Amino acid sequence: MDCSDFISEFIKDDLASGRFSCVHTRFPPEPNGWLHIGHCKAMTVDFMAAERFGGKCNLRFDDTNPEKEDLSYVKAIKRDIKWLGFDWEDREYYASDYYEYLYGLAVKIIKKGRAYVDDLSEEEISEYRGTAVPDRNYITLTPPGRNSPWRDRSVEENLELFAAMRAGKYADGEKTLRAKIDMTDPNLVMRDPVMYRIRRAVHYRTGNSWCIYPMYDFQHPLSDAKEGITHSLCSLEYEIHRPLYEWFIREAEVFPSRQIEFARLNLTRTVLSKRYLLRLVEEKHVSGWDDPRMPTLAGLRRRGYTPAALRNFVAQIGIAKTDSTVEFAFLEYCLREDLNKTSRRVMAVLRPLKLIVENWPSEKIEDLEAVNNPEDENAGTRIIRFGKELWIERDDFEENPPPKYFRLFPGNAVRLRYGYIVTCTGCDKDAGGNIIAVRCNYDPETKGGNALDNRKVKGTIHWLNAADAIPLEARIYDYLFTAEKPLNTPEKPDGTNSSFLDNLNLASLEVISGAMGEPCLAEAKPGERFQFERLGYFVRDCPAISDCNGDGVDSAHPPASSHLVFNKTVGLRDTWAKIVKKE
Ligand code: ATP
Ligand code: MG
């Protein structure tokens, strides 16, 4: 990440003024879902800010919502952070470990007369608080809220009631602990926010030990302070919470962590919020959190994305203070940049059509040399075999070609990649008139690469030797949503609001089961990436991604079945360049 970003400027000032003597950040995921690419941005900001100033970054699970959190999410989050290449070393913390500490600070605030136990219900609290539509400056357009009738309880009574809340004397929702701030504050967040609520829910770490749970706004700043976090970097929606963050730090008299907000990452054609991603999973619109169409790190990884491409993407978009939406095509551009350099080239045919080389002797097999990666000399070459019967792509033959069609049609010549130039002599059809084979003659003088002979042809096509090609399944993906911004859900004609699910792309997955590939693909490891020449980048599927080790290639668990599935990662054509050109 560029050091000239605004966060680095704040940090530099803080170091120069002596406000802080070191830099300590944290990445605070809530274990209520799997990480998505937005978290990749947050992580990059948190870890890189620390790294740039020789500081540290903690991993802290922000786990104070027992109903939604789970150990399986903790494991998935740790796995995905490691896969991206960030390292929290031994600094793994849990807000749920701070319950006793937080309780103590709540008592301290009560003793200062700055918090009270309220008997109003949650509905009454929000009614008393008032509803407001904040304008751009967070000035509310509603009248001030009303004080709760329980606001002026004595410190002694509050201490006693709060202890009774903890001891389980009251039912869920019967009482809350609230900060005593100002019910007329224009910022609604400051109108006596709730600090603790009663919830008899089993927490995945603390079990039944607690029946009161701290609210985010109270817990987060004080957890930061407990860890000595100097810069608490978070997304823009927390900006209006900053005065409250500072209020709790001040009233609890703890380490003065500083909150700084940055714009969240939004991407076209997808949703970046665990709430919505959870719905996609629960309602089975996708196969799971790691479905290759999901913007989760596990989904992107299974799709064939590399950590380098994701980190480079985040570095390129930079960090800003205003929200914006990045084109998905730009993410794909960053991915292609990386895959082009690193992926081995092989040939595969998605929809095979037989090509018979009529003037090739029946039994003859010839070895040809193919380059594994023209971008990487060290990748070497491999032998591919050429025989009388080949597979070509069904699309690469047209009996009656449209204008500018440079592939095979009767009378036309093309080069078979790494092989010979062949001239089409016709095709065979079945009784129904379907084309079942194409016929051609080869020119023995044209063996090898494109430069070895003087004959020029306009088209080069890929092919496989029919005798040793292996069957495979190819899964071709499209964007999960048809709308650029799936969460923009306009009103329907009947006056009801549409749902983001109305924008789902119902054709986002195409399974091609009869594809074929070079024999070397039989050895492909789950998670291994290739370029299928002329078709795009593909990755061998890794279904149980939790079994894979950090590099995405599962060497310890070879797949039980020999069924070869390849996910299409991205096509070869750069749609981003087109967008830039248009603009
Ligand atoms: P979601 O909206 O997906 O549920 P969240 O903010 O509730 O996200 P957390 O697990 O609480 O998820 O987030 C951990 C950190 O990641 C927070 O600091 C949050 O600000 C940041 N974050 C979440 N989504 C994005 C995003 N789209 N872009 C940048 N940062 C994000
Ligand atoms: Mg959150």
Side-chain angles (χ1 to χ4, degrees):
M1 178 141 317
D2 176 356
C3 341
S4 61
D5 63 81
F6 77 94
I7 292 178
S8 296
E9 294 304 317
F10 278 135
I11 295 177
K12 270 190 226 158
D13 288 350
D14 285 346
L15 293 173
S17 71
R19 176 170 176 174
F20 297 115
S21 59
C22 65
V23 174
H24 203 150
T25 59
R26 87 288 170 261
F27 173 60
E30 183 179 358
N32 60 353
W34 290 26
L35 298 180
H36 53 65
I37 188 171
H39 294 113
C40 176
K41 175 171 181 180
M43 243 183 279
T44 307
V45 171
D46 296 330
F47 279 95
M48 297 307 273
E51 190 181 298
R52 153 127 170 75
F53 293 96
K56 292 176 181 152
C57 180
N58 292 357
L59 169 61
R60 184 199 319 136
F61 289 97
D62 223 336
D63 55 352
T64 52
N65 262 320
E67 287 106 334
K68 293 186 178 156
E69 296 160 0
D70 191 74
L71 186 62
S72 73
Y73 293 134
V74 170
K75 289 184 178 158
I77 289 170
K78 285 164 66 174
R79 179 200 61 214
D80 291 343
I81 301 174
K82 278 194 193 141
W83 175 72
L84 262 189
F86 291 111
D87 187 3
W88 61 91
E89 293 165 3
D90 57 350
R91 293 181 303 278
E92 177 178 330
Y93 301 106
Y94 294 81
S96 56
D97 284 345
Y98 304 154
Y99 285 160
E100 198 61 57
Y101 153 84
L102 293 167
Y103 181 85
L105 290 180
V107 167
K108 181 174 182 178
I109 295 172
I110 295 173
K111 284 185 179 157
K112 293 170 83 173
R114 308 307 302 265
Y116 61 97
V117 171
D118 196 355
D119 292 6
L120 294 183
S121 67
E122 276 173 38
E123 296 74 47
E124 286 167 327
I125 289 176
S126 52
E127 194 221 306
Y128 274 57
R129 182 175 283 142
T131 46
V133 192
D135 73 2
R136 291 181 62 219
N137 302 312
Y138 308 114
I139 305 294
T140 59
L141 306 173
T142 49
R146 278 179 293 144
N147 285 352
S148 163
W150 312 100
R151 198 172 195 262
D152 294 318
R153 279 174 161 152
S154 69
V155 167
E156 290 66 34
E157 192 184 359
N158 282 321
L159 286 173
E160 214 172 280
L161 289 172
F162 187 47
M165 278 170 65
R166 174 180 183 170
K169 292 225 171 102
Y170 304 108
D172 286 13
E174 202 179 327
K175 289 192 171 19
T176 56
L177 181 72
R178 295 179 71 183
K180 195 169 181 176
I181 306 181
D182 183 356
M183 291 303 287
T184 66
D185 196 297
N187 182 350
L188 275 188
V189 167
M190 299 300 279
R191 293 186 182 177
D192 291 12
V194 173
M195 294 163 62
Y196 272 89
R197 61 204 171 118
I198 305 173
R199 279 283 180 287
R200 280 177 182 73
V202 180
H203 187 277
Y204 77 101
R205 293 185 86 240
T206 57
N208 292 317
S209 330
W210 292 83
C211 65
I212 55 170
Y213 288 96
M215 302 299 286
Y216 177 89
D217 279 336
F218 167 69
Q219 168 276 115
H220 199 84
L222 304 183
S223 298
D224 282 343
K226 172 127 177 84
E227 293 173 16
I229 300 304
T230 55
H231 298 90
S232 180
L233 311 174
C234 61
S235 38
L236 215 53
E237 68 269 26
Y238 294 105
E239 189 174 28
I240 62 169
H241 297 251
R242 192 185 337 129
L244 185 53
Y245 183 100
E246 290 166 355
W247 191 92
F248 280 124
I249 295 254
R250 208 165 49 241
E251 293 301 330
E253 299 166 46
V254 288
F255 182 82
S257 303
R258 173 179 187 186
Q259 175 179 306
I260 302 173
E261 310 85 19
F262 60 88
R264 7 177 353 111
L265 169 65
N266 301 303
L267 261 187
T268 59
R269 302 291 192 118
T270 193
V271 290
L272 291 185
S273 181
K274 284 182 282 182
R275 192 153 58 97
Y276 297 114
L277 297 176
L278 181 64
R279 272 193 73 186
L280 292 173
V281 173
E282 281 183 341
E283 297 175 20
K284 302 210 183 322
H285 300 293
V286 294
S287 64
W289 286 100
D290 67 345
D291 186 299
R293 291 165 292 181
M294 290 281 271
T296 52
L297 297 181
L300 292 165
R301 164 179 173 179
R302 190 168 164 196
R303 180 76 172 264
Y305 276 74
T306 62
L310 293 174
R311 291 177 65 155
N312 184 40
F313 166 73
V314 168
Q316 299 260 344
I317 56 175
I319 38 177
K321 191 94 202 178
T322 40
D323 275 320
S324 66
T325 301
V326 179
E327 293 273 355
F328 209 105
F330 183 65
L331 173 60
E332 292 175 337
Y333 163 82
C334 295
L335 175 64
R336 249 184 238 110
E337 292 271 283
D338 186 34
L339 293 179
N340 179 43
K341 279 183 250 144
T342 54
S343 329
R344 241 170 82 192
R345 274 60 167 170
V346 294
M347 293 197 282
V349 170
L350 295 183
R351 294 174 185 82
L353 175 63
K354 188 65 71 66
L355 178 69
I356 300 167
V357 189
E358 292 187 294
N359 60 342
W360 188 271
S362 294
E363 303 304 320
K364 185 177 168 187
I365 291 286
E366 188 173 323
D367 287 347
L368 301 172
E369 195 176 24
V371 177
N372 286 334
N373 184 353
E375 303 287 319
D376 175 8
E377 274 175 26
N378 299 324
T381 59
R382 69 188 183 286
I383 296 299
I384 52 175
R385 313 182 84 197
F386 192 95
K388 188 173 183 72
E389 296 204 351
L390 311 174
W391 292 115
I392 60 166
E393 208 68 63
R394 195 159 275 277
D395 279 358
D396 284 340
F397 173 76
E398 286 287 346
E399 200 177 11
N400 301 303
K404 294 198 179 161
Y405 186 85
F406 299 124
R407 294 170 269 168
L408 274 181
F409 56 88
N412 193 42
V414 298
R415 172 172 293 285
L416 296 176
R417 181 89 164 130
Y418 304 116
Y420 295 93
I421 290 180
V422 295
T423 305
C424 182
T425 54
C427 64
D428 302 347
K429 293 183 184 172
D430 65 11
N434 303 305
I435 296 165
I436 49 171
V438 177
R439 293 181 176 272
C440 67
N441 281 322
Y442 85 107
D443 176 349
E445 303 303 313
T446 58
K447 178 176 166 178
N450 293 321
L452 290 183
D453 57 83
N454 300 323
R455 268 187 77 181
K456 294 245 186 306
V457 288
K458 283 202 165 144
T460 296
I461 64 172
H462 59 279
W463 55 277
L464 295 167
N465 185 36
D468 55 24
I470 56 166
L472 52 91
E473 176 181 318
R475 296 187 186 156
I476 314 292
Y477 300 96
D478 195 355
Y479 298 122
L480 199 44
F481 292 93
T482 50
E484 286 277 305
K485 297 188 175 179
L487 293 178
N488 283 358
T489 48
E491 212 173 79
K492 290 194 214 170
D494 66 4
T496 60
N497 249 14
S498 57
S499 144
F500 78 108
L501 295 172
D502 296 338
N503 293 322
L504 268 178
N505 176 4
L506 299 178
S508 57
L509 169 61
E510 181 191 4
V511 176
I512 301 176
S513 50
M516 298 278 201
E518 275 184 46
C520 66
L521 286 173
E523 317 298 318
K525 297 187 190 80
E528 200 173 335
R529 304 175 185 91
F530 298 89
Q531 184 192 103
F532 288 180
E533 295 209 29
R534 292 182 66 226
L535 297 175
Y537 295 97
F538 284 75
V539 61
R540 171 129 195 230
D541 190 40
C542 190
I545 206 154
S546 46
D547 291 342
C548 291
N549 55 31
D551 56 7
V553 176
D554 186 3
S555 43
H557 306 87
S561 109
S562 57
H563 183 53
L564 284 169
V565 175
F566 285 87
N567 295 321
K568 182 168 177 183
T569 309
V570 67
L572 298 174
R573 236 193 351 219
D574 184 2
T575 45
W576 173 246
K578 259 201 227 151
I579 293 172
V580 172
K581 217 169 150 192
K582 238 200 295 184
E583 281 165 3

